[in-house]
């Protein structure tokens, strides 16, 4: 019940802030809309018409996957830095539920809101282009969801760093490039990369879409690996985050001193 | 389980034992001791004033009680729970309004702030709906409930921050400099609201302040800290009484001789001697009540008439200034 009330409060807060900062939100929505449209038209003119649908579908899922990944990775660290700058971080630390729970509910809230936006925009893009895709989200969504759990772990690690140094912009940019590189290296070339967060998920989605198979056709070993990977990263993320909190409390870094 | 680790009914809801905190200055690497061996207990329902000049260590002490800052040494128990080991559990008993004006989300409205912070404590909007109404009217914020905090005056923001802390329904509330930077009017209003709350609700409150009337009117007991150590820990009424009995204004029939004046200066260096056209007065602040006899000896020597002796009524501010400026350690009798 406490969890639910916490989740409810944080979904409301995220929603209110998106609504109140409409220009920002609209800019974000437009970006996605244009990217989706570009995917439609670009592939329509350049790609092979025979594989049009698969290509569009693949690029759209990739865009969605990539932006969710980036959002998730940056989110908690950015929230911590913002709260610290506004001076509200200490009040968050007065919650008997713990800041990690608050941040977890906020990231879930953001995730839900982003998914809603993406679905709406996708339909808008299909409407504009007149191309109706048979997107089958049931095959990829579960994999994306599990992958986001590991990205949440990464997000907590970055947030831990943010509590202490309060400056993560440069670091995030480097990280973004590292992730980008990871996406383009196939696991078959460097199998150990599967232990990195997010890479296994991307690989599975790619396989599903290119080989046009369904969820049940993927071996259980792959799922088990993906789930284990997510659990490990989330746990690691929380451990790092909580140790950084302790350091911050020792050195008096939570306030605006 | 360690003794004193049990939650349940504990008479002393806050127990602070020998806490110390030092900071390393970022630039000079110089080490500052902000809190140096502070101990005190707070009983349930007690309203404690924490007084001290700027930099005395009030905010650091309050933050250590909330667990926002970890003490280098010593222990703090809230309702029997060690704040350093069981922080989250202990936080169920505490809410705080921290120093400065950033206890709120400026981009949310008054009502949204109340609801959001309650949500962060696991309370549903439904659960707190009635209390929000009560607090909005108690703090005269009802007509501002849908305004963004950003646009409110500093005083209103501070009232809202206190309302948010009260909404948490904790037994302990910590208020760090609640009237700092507010104009006289709103400071008075806030004091009156707090007075009602102190009277109506049996909460344990710690108020740190420079604002003497706040402490004088609201608190049962006061702790004065200076340079990180406790200088005085005494009931407010006793503190006032103590100083009252020690400060005298004595009217004399005649002027004092040179020799008498010299003796007065030597024995009571802080006394003032005034010769007016109609009367002569001596004002003294006696460190020990027996000293009054020595004073009278000086007058008796040359047969000076004592016309009247009055206690000087002083307010808390003077008491505070004397203790802090004089750096005297007043061992209470
Ligand atoms: N986070 C911090 N980092 C470094 N120094 C600090 C920090 N917090 C407080 N101090 C120093 O500790 C001393 C006590 O400060 P504080 O507790 O804020 O006193 P008060 O609230 O009584 O004014 C001051 O000298 C202050 O400069
Ligand atoms: Mg202070």
């Amino acid at each position: 019940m406490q969890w639910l009330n916490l989740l409810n409060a944080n979904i409301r807060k995220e929603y209110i802030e998106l609504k109140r900062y409409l220009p920002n939100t609209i800019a974000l929505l437009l970006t996605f809309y244009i990217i989706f449209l570009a995917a439609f038209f670009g592939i329509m003119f350049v790609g092979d018409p025979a594989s049009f649908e698969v290509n569009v579908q693949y690029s759209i899922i990739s865009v969605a996957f990539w932006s969710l990944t980036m959002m998730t990775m940056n989110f908690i660290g950015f929230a911590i830095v913002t709260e610290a700058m506004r001076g509200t971080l200490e009040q968050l630390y007065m919650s008997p539920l713990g800041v990690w729970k608050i941040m977890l509910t906020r990231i879930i809230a953001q995730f839900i809101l982003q998914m809603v936006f993406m679905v709406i925009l996708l339909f808008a893009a299909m409407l504009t282009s007149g191309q109706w895709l048979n997107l089958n989200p049931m095959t990829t969504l579960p994999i994306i969801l599990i992958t986001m759990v590991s990205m949440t772990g990464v997000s907590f690690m970055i947030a831990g760093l943010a509590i202490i140094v309060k400056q993560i912009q440069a670091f995030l940019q480097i990280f973004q490039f590292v992730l980008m590189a990871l996406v383009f290296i196939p696991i078959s070339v460097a199998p150990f990369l599967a232990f990195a967060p997010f890479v296994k998920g991307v690989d599975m989605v790619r396989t599903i879409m290119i080989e046009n198979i369904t969820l049940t056709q993927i071996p259980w070993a792959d799922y088990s690996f993906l789930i284990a990977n997510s659990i490990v990263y989330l746990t690691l993320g929380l451990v790092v985050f909580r140790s950084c909190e302790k350091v911050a409390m020792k050195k008096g870094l939570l306030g605006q001193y | 389980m360690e003794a004193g680790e049990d939650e349940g009914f504990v008479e002393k809801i806050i127990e602070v034992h020998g806490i110390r905190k030092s900071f390393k200055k970022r630039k000079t690497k110089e080490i500052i001791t902000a809190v140096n061996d502070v101990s005190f207990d707070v009983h349930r329902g007690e309203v404690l004033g924490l007084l001290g000049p700027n930099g005395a260590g009030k905010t650091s002490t309050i933050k250590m009680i909330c667990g926002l800052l970890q003490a280098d040494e010593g222990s703090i128990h809230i309702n029997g729970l060690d704040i350093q080991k069981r922080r989250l559990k202990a936080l169920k008993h505490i809410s705080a309004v921290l120093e400065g004006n950033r206890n709120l989300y400026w981009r949310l409205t008054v009502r949204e702030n109340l609801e959001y912070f309650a949500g962060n404590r696991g309370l549903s909007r439904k659960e707190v709906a009635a209390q929000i109404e009560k607090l909005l009217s108690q703090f005269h914020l009802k007509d501002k409930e849908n305004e963004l905090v950003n646009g409110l005056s500093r005083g209103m923001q501070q009232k809202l921050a206190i309302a948010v802390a009260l909404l948490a329904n904790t037994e302990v509330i910590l208020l760090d400099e609640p009237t700092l930077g507010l104009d006289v009017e709103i400071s008075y209003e806030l004091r009156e609201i707090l007075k009602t709350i102190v009277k109506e609700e049996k909460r344990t409150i710690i108020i740190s302040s420079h604002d003497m009337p706040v402490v004088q009117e609201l608190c049962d007991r006061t702790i004065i800290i200076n340079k990180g150590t406790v200088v005085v820990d005494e009931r407010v009424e006793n503190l006032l009484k103590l100083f009252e009995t020690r400060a005298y204004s004595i009217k004399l029939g005649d002027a004092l001789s040179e020799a008498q004046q010299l003796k007065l200066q030597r024995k009571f260096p802080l006394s003032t001697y005034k010769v007016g056209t109609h009367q002569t007065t001596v004002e003294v602040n006696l460190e020990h009540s027996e000293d009054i006899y020595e004073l009278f000896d000086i007058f008796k020597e040359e047969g000076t008439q004592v016309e009247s002796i009055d206690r000087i009524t002083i307010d808390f501010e003077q008491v505070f200034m004397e203790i802090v400026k004089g750096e005297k350690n007043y061992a209470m009798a």
Side-chain angles (χ1 to χ4, degrees):
Chain A
M1 202 56 206
Q2 276 196 340
W3 262 103
L4 221 61
N5 293 337
L6 183 69
L7 182 62
N8 198 349
N10 282 287
I11 290 178
R12 276 179 63 85
K13 178 179 176 291
E14 294 298 319
Y15 172 69
I16 289 167
E17 292 200 333
L18 280 180
K19 210 173 58 179
R20 213 148 279 163
Y21 289 84
L22 212 53
N24 280 350
T25 312
I26 288 174
L28 188 80
L29 293 181
L30 267 181
T31 315
F32 276 114
Y33 178 66
I34 290 166
I35 291 173
F36 283 149
L37 268 189
F40 277 90
F41 286 114
I43 291 158
M44 202 150 51
F45 293 123
V46 179
D48 171 10
S51 56
F52 170 73
E53 186 136 336
V54 171
N55 283 343
V56 174
Q57 193 164 329
Y58 183 56
S59 33
I60 281 172
I61 294 287
S62 300
V63 167
F65 200 167
W66 177 253
S67 57
L68 280 175
T69 302
M70 281 301 128
M71 186 280 289
T72 309
M73 186 180 80
N74 294 342
F75 186 77
I76 307 176
F78 189 70
I80 294 280
V81 171
T82 312
E83 298 269 347
M85 238 159 50
R86 294 184 191 165
T88 41
L89 187 61
E90 286 182 308
Q91 269 306 333
L92 285 190
Y93 270 94
M94 289 302 296
S95 164
L97 300 181
V99 169
W100 72 272
K101 271 191 203 165
I102 295 175
M103 289 302 159
L104 198 58
T105 55
R106 278 203 198 167
I107 215 167
I108 293 170
Q110 269 295 325
F111 192 78
I112 293 171
L113 291 172
Q114 294 241 353
M115 290 301 267
V116 169
F117 284 151
M118 277 191 201
V119 170
I120 293 170
L121 288 174
L122 202 50
F123 272 96
M126 289 198 274
L127 205 63
T128 327
S129 66
Q131 291 288 332
W132 293 90
L133 297 174
N134 178 26
L135 286 172
N136 194 355
M138 290 326 285
T139 52
T140 45
L141 206 55
I143 296 173
I144 294 179
L145 277 176
I146 300 168
T147 309
M148 285 314 131
V149 174
S150 73
M151 286 316 294
T152 303
V154 174
S155 196
F156 268 116
M157 291 179 213
I158 294 169
L161 194 74
I163 295 181
I164 294 173
V165 301
K166 309 261 165 59
Q167 258 294 336
I168 49 165
Q169 226 57 15
F171 179 77
L172 278 177
Q173 255 153 24
I174 295 168
F175 222 79
Q176 205 156 317
F177 281 116
V178 173
L179 271 194
M180 195 112 71
L182 289 181
V183 179
F184 290 110
I185 305 169
I187 285 193
S188 48
V189 176
F192 60 90
L193 279 182
F195 291 103
F198 158 90
V199 175
K200 182 71 183 170
V202 173
D203 191 62
M204 283 169 77
V205 168
R206 193 182 291 152
T207 311
I208 286 181
M209 302 207 59
I210 290 172
E211 293 176 15
N212 201 13
I213 52 177
T214 59
L215 269 186
T216 45
Q217 287 169 292
I218 292 183
W220 265 108
D222 282 348
Y223 282 115
S224 312
F225 188 89
L226 190 67
I227 290 170
N229 180 293
S230 292
I231 292 172
V232 167
Y233 274 99
L234 185 63
T235 313
L236 210 63
L238 288 174
V239 168
V240 170
F241 184 72
R242 302 196 64 175
S243 344
C244 291
E245 285 181 334
K246 292 229 171 75
V247 172
M249 284 168 187
K250 215 169 243 158
K251 296 195 171 172
L253 301 174
L254 293 181
Q256 276 180 314
Y257 187 75
Chain B
M1 194 180 280
E2 228 177 286
E5 275 287 295
D6 289 298
E7 200 172 9
F9 190 84
V10 183
E11 175 55 32
K12 292 168 183 167
I13 191 155
I14 303 175
E15 294 166 274
V16 176
H17 191 82
I19 54 168
R20 287 177 203 272
K21 184 79 208 171
S22 309
F23 295 104
K24 199 189 260 172
K25 263 196 180 167
R26 241 169 261 165
K27 282 177 200 150
T28 56
K29 300 275 171 211
E30 173 195 355
I31 291 179
I32 311 161
T33 304
V35 177
N36 191 2
D37 194 15
V38 164
S39 303
F40 60 89
D41 296 332
V42 187
H43 290 252
R44 265 166 214 282
E46 198 172 21
V47 181
L48 175 75
L50 202 56
L51 275 171
N54 240 329
K58 305 181 294 294
T59 300
S60 302
T61 303
I62 283 178
K63 284 188 181 173
M64 282 190 273
I65 295 173
C66 307
L68 293 174
L69 196 61
Q70 202 193 325
D72 297 336
E73 268 178 65
S75 69
I76 296 170
H77 286 83
I78 309 293
N79 202 36
L81 295 164
D82 187 332
I83 190 81
Q84 286 174 17
K85 289 185 196 138
R86 299 161 86 185
R87 200 181 103 83
L88 294 182
K89 206 158 182 216
L91 280 183
K92 286 192 184 144
H93 302 280
I94 322 175
S95 53
V97 176
L98 301 163
E99 196 176 6
N101 52 359
R102 294 310 191 108
N103 289 282
L104 303 165
Y105 287 95
W106 284 26
R107 302 173 171 201
L108 298 184
T109 65
V110 168
R111 175 177 281 278
E112 284 162 357
N113 265 286
L114 286 160
E115 289 174 348
Y116 180 66
F117 282 109
N120 266 350
R121 288 188 152 259
L123 302 166
S124 72
R125 285 197 293 150
K126 222 171 165 183
E127 278 172 272
V128 291
Q131 213 193 338
I132 285 181
E133 289 308 319
K134 188 182 160 222
L135 287 167
L136 284 175
S137 74
Q138 193 167 20
F139 282 85
H140 315 299
L141 287 167
K142 185 66 193 160
D143 56 329
K144 304 277 181 199
E145 66 171 316
N146 293 319
E147 281 185 30
L148 293 182
V149 167
N150 198 12
L152 298 184
S153 69
R154 170 88 184 87
M156 280 194 237
Q157 289 172 347
Q158 189 65 355
K159 285 198 290 182
L160 177 58
I162 295 172
V164 166
L166 286 167
L167 187 60
N169 264 326
T170 53
E171 286 176 271
V172 180
I173 297 174
L174 308 175
L175 304 174
D176 194 4
E177 310 258 14
T179 55
L180 187 71
L182 304 186
D183 59 42
V184 184
E185 233 167 288
I186 195 107
S187 185
Y188 175 79
E189 183 194 345
L190 198 54
R191 207 161 73 216
E192 292 304 304
I193 296 171
L194 287 174
K195 236 175 174 172
T196 341
I197 288 161
V198 165
K199 228 180 275 168
E200 285 175 2
E201 304 178 38
K202 279 270 154 265
R203 306 235 207 181
T204 310
I205 306 179
I206 298 184
I207 305 175
S208 94
S209 193
H210 277 93
D211 193 1
M212 304 303 149
V214 169
V215 175
Q216 201 168 347
E217 288 192 34
L218 298 173
C219 300
D220 306 318
R221 192 179 128 208
T222 187
I223 286 180
I224 300 178
I225 56 176
N226 193 25
K227 296 183 181 164
T229 53
V230 174
V231 194
V232 169
D233 180 346
E234 185 57 84
R235 298 189 63 75
V236 170
E237 64 207 44
N238 290 354
L239 204 58
L240 290 169
K241 222 183 280 165
L242 190 84
F243 274 81
E244 238 170 22
T245 53
R246 282 174 175 178
Y248 294 96
S249 170
I250 299 151
K251 293 199 174 77
L252 302 172
D254 338 275
L256 297 179
S257 71
E258 293 270 319
Q260 279 175 311
Q261 286 181 38
L262 213 68
K263 266 190 195 150
L264 188 68
Q265 268 309 305
R266 206 178 310 130
K267 288 234 162 93
F268 305 97
L270 291 174
S271 62
T272 52
Y273 173 64
K274 279 182 264 179
V275 188
T277 39
H278 301 295
Q279 62 192 3
T280 308
T281 48
V282 173
E283 285 183 8
V284 280
N285 199 346
L286 305 174
E287 269 191 58
H288 307 285
S289 17
E290 313 87 77
D291 292 350
I292 193 128
Y293 302 112
E294 286 195 46
L295 181 67
F296 278 24
D297 282 341
I298 298 173
F299 302 146
K300 234 176 3 193
E301 270 172 25
E302 299 192 22
T304 312
Q305 283 281 322
V306 174
E307 291 191 341
S308 69
I309 306 171
D310 291 300
R311 278 179 184 167
I312 302 171
T313 30
I314 50 176
D315 64 11
F316 210 73
E317 190 139 8
Q318 282 169 281
V319 174
F320 173 68
M321 289 317 283
E322 282 217 28
I323 289 173
V324 170
K325 290 260 163 68
E327 288 258 359
K328 289 174 196 161
N329 218 326
Y330 284 87
M332 295 296 159

